[in-house]
Amino acid sequence: MNRPDFLHMGAMEIAQRIRRREVSALEVMLAHIARAEALNPGLNAIVVPRYELALAEARQADIALDTELVVGPLHGVPCSIKEGLGMAGLPHTSGSVLRMGKLAKSDGSIVARVRQAGAIPIGLTNMSEMALWPESDNHVYGRTSNPYDLRRTSGGSSGGEAAIVAAGAAAFGLGTDGGGSIRIPAAYCGVFGHKPSSGLVPLSGHIPLDDMFADEPGAQAMARYFAAGPIARSAADLMPLLRIIAGPDGTDSNMCQSVLRDPASVDFAGKTVLVCEAPSVRGVGKLSSAAQQAVARAAHAFELRGARVRSWDHPLLRDSFDIWLATTMAAAGPSLNRLVGNGSPVALLSAAMAALLGKPRHTPGPLLACMVERYASPGPARVAKLLAAGRSLREDLSKALGPDGLLLLPVTPGPAPLHGGSLWHPFDVAYCALFNALELPATVAPVGWAESGLPASVQLVACHNADHITIAGALLLEDALGGWFPPPIAEP
């Protein structure tokens, strides 16, 4: 087997081949690190490499097989970890200059779980400042570029994860999603990403459940609308990874015991597939033909498998962004200003002056979010009305879906924008953010290419705790439309 073979494989297939001794963990690791060293200088996706430690751990993984020790389901598999999740002894800045020098005291819960399962992190990846913007750019590590076009963003906040997985240098990655932060990068980089149902995967280690904010009033309530989840180059890896990272950890109080059903048990023949090809959402930029065509392409794939495909829309979709904003506000957790200020409200005038003098402490996106929070947040009456709208929308959607239905809709209005473009379209996260507020599972799957040559993707949503349905849909689309294709820069 030559190296390009397992650089294209999914994580579970790599693990299986290592266990069968068809390839050594060291050989797999050497290939992934070589790919990272070749491509990361242009991407800036891995910002805290641990290549030598990863090689040493791969050697130990091979020794464990030689001595017939019990190994985990991810034994020897190279992965990457979002910096904000926390890995013991490594930087844990979350992209904030105010946290420079901070090291993680322990592994975040899901980081510990994949390591216990045998995965070997090759490094920590870049993110937006305090995970608060859909572009991975900060003044600690710089910005991350899209492997399909280095002039464009990889998305955020888990943009480093999606970029390095798409480049073929990590078999899978771990990200977080508070308003699209797994799904948007996955879509922009043409890989698979899953935001689990609320209460399924602990957020412990990541803001607001890190050692700075976890004990503050409302932190647990706020974390309910965040989600940690996998990013992968194969849809077949999503459910095995979800099984590994799911379940209570004794820290995140939002967790509940849930049974994760098997995507292989899902047959879409005769099942309902709702299609919202062009949602009308207040504030969102013009929907591109590429985004609409991606949804139509996915819908056709389900139609060919016998699904009952029909159009769906709802008047409350128009308020998607506001419903998400009101829901996070009602949690009464640490404010955006205190998150960005690392525990103290951001001095907005001082921050603006520092930026004008060429000594910025914060990136523009999170500063804009702080300004909106401070000066343009909805009042109590409006928040109450939006919370009621969210409950109504979730109930209506659940009824329309039934227990085993699926909703298809765009991830964003278009493919990956040029660097900095998100600053002019801050509401474009609304297609994703709504489902954080509704607490529903959502998976992103690549479905081909836009005319620009960038990946085109679609979002799949199901009822609460029906994560197996959205993942089954991603598996169908991978089979029908090809799934992830390596970017040209990754090809010899």
Side-chain angles (χ1 to χ4, degrees), residues 24-384:
S24 71
L26 180 60
E27 186 181 0
V28 170
M29 186 59 69
L30 284 167
H32 282 80
I33 288 175
R35 172 66 59 88
E37 289 180 327
L39 299 185
N40 196 59
L43 297 175
N44 192 37
I46 294 176
V47 292
V48 182
R50 60 183 306 273
Y51 300 151
E52 291 304 317
L53 285 171
L55 289 170
E57 290 169 17
R59 292 185 183 97
Q60 289 301 313
D62 287 329
I63 292 170
L65 286 176
D66 290 338
T67 55
E68 299 184 350
L69 293 176
V70 175
V71 298
L74 294 172
H75 191 77
V77 175
C79 71
S80 52
I81 307 291
K82 184 178 183 178
E83 197 256 30
L85 278 164
M87 186 168 173
L90 295 183
H92 195 201
T93 70
S94 295
S96 170
V97 297
L98 303 182
R99 292 162 64 110
M100 288 181 69
K102 177 180 173 60
L103 303 179
K105 297 175 183 176
S106 60
D107 288 352
S109 289
I110 68 169
V111 178
R113 288 173 178 179
V114 297
R115 295 185 76 187
Q116 288 163 5
I120 302 174
I122 64 171
L124 307 184
T125 59
N126 205 18
M127 58 187 286
S128 58
E129 182 182 353
M130 298 303 279
L132 290 175
W133 200 252
E135 177 155 9
S136 294
D137 185 14
N138 59 70
H139 294 310
V140 179
Y141 301 118
R143 74 183 184 193
T144 299
S145 295
N146 191 304
Y148 294 88
D149 183 343
L150 298 180
R151 300 170 303 165
R152 297 178 182 271
T153 181
S154 63
S157 63
S158 308
E161 282 301 294
I164 206 65
V165 171
F172 75 93
L174 296 179
T176 62
D177 190 314
S181 291
I182 286 173
R183 290 162 288 161
I184 292 171
Y188 286 172
C189 295
V191 290
F192 295 89
H194 182 68
K195 182 203 82 67
S197 296
S198 64
L200 192 57
V201 178
L203 191 68
S204 310
H206 189 280
I207 52 174
L209 297 187
D210 64 344
D211 54 12
M212 169 66 82
F213 297 103
D215 294 330
E216 295 202 5
Q220 293 283 353
M222 175 183 272
R224 179 175 176 173
Y225 304 106
F226 280 69
I231 293 175
R233 55 198 188 200
S234 170
D237 291 334
L238 294 177
M239 183 55 79
L241 290 169
L242 191 56
R243 292 185 191 281
I244 289 166
I245 63 176
D249 68 344
T251 300
D252 187 336
S253 65
N254 299 292
M255 295 299 98
C256 55
Q257 291 287 358
S258 300
V259 176
L260 285 166
R261 285 164 282 178
D262 187 356
S265 69
V266 178
D267 181 358
F268 284 102
K271 300 294 193 304
T272 296
V273 174
L274 305 177
V275 180
C276 188
E277 191 173 301
S280 176
V281 177
R282 185 182 290 111
V284 171
K286 182 181 178 182
L287 190 67
S288 68
S289 59
Q292 294 181 67
Q293 290 165 8
V295 176
R297 198 178 304 134
H300 183 60
F302 281 96
E303 211 164 29
L304 292 176
R305 301 294 177 95
R308 294 188 294 111
V309 177
R310 63 182 178 87
S311 295
W312 180 85
D313 204 348
H314 197 290
L316 290 176
L317 285 175
R318 182 166 179 78
D319 292 322
S320 292
F321 185 88
D322 292 343
I323 288 170
W324 169 73
L325 180 61
T327 302
T328 56
M329 286 179 60
S335 68
L336 297 186
N337 274 265
R338 291 192 64 248
L339 289 174
V340 174
N342 197 36
S344 301
V346 175
L348 292 174
L349 181 58
S350 173
M353 289 300 296
L356 288 172
L357 293 172
K359 298 179 180 179
R361 294 191 295 270
H362 304 289
T363 44
L367 271 186
L368 177 61
C370 289
M371 291 177 185
V372 170
E373 178 187 67
R374 191 172 298 180
Y375 300 117
S377 292
R382 175 67 173 156
V383 167

Side-chain angles (χ1 to χ4, degrees), residues 1 5-20 22-25 28-29 32 73-78 170-172 233 237:
M1 185 190 309
D5 288 330
F6 46 77
L7 287 174
H8 291 73
M9 287 177 190
M12 303 313 294
E13 184 177 356
I14 289 173
Q16 186 178 63
R17 288 175 181 259
I18 290 173
R19 286 195 300 273
R20 289 176 178 170
E22 294 175 12
V23 64
S24 71
V28 170
M29 186 59 69
H32 282 80
L74 294 172
H75 191 77
V77 175
F172 75 93
R233 55 198 188 200
D237 291 334

